[in-house]
Amino acid sequence: MSVVPIDEGPRSRRRVGPFWIEEGIGLVLVGAAMLLVVAGLYGLAVVLRPH
């Protein structure tokens, strides 16, 4: 088994400090969808809050 240096990885990933960043639009879309869900639930909670 050959040793792979820590800074080398698949071409679809890049390293920023200690973190591996996945490149591609799919991850961005998933993040945007999660943000919209949280914002929608927050808005719903504000509208339906008891007085």
Side-chain angles (χ1 to χ4, degrees):
M1 178 187 294
S2 63
V3 176
V4 177
I6 195 166
D7 287 337
E8 292 185 12
R11 291 189 182 272
S12 64
R13 297 171 71 185
R14 60 190 169 95
R15 189 177 167 107
V16 177
F19 305 104
W20 284 102
I21 306 298
E22 296 285 342
E23 293 181 352
I25 193 72
L27 196 61
V28 173
L29 293 177
V30 169
M34 289 180 6
L35 185 62
L36 287 174
V37 166
V38 169
L41 289 173
Y42 180 79
L44 188 62
V46 168
V47 170
L48 298 178
R49 73 181 186 274
H51 293 281

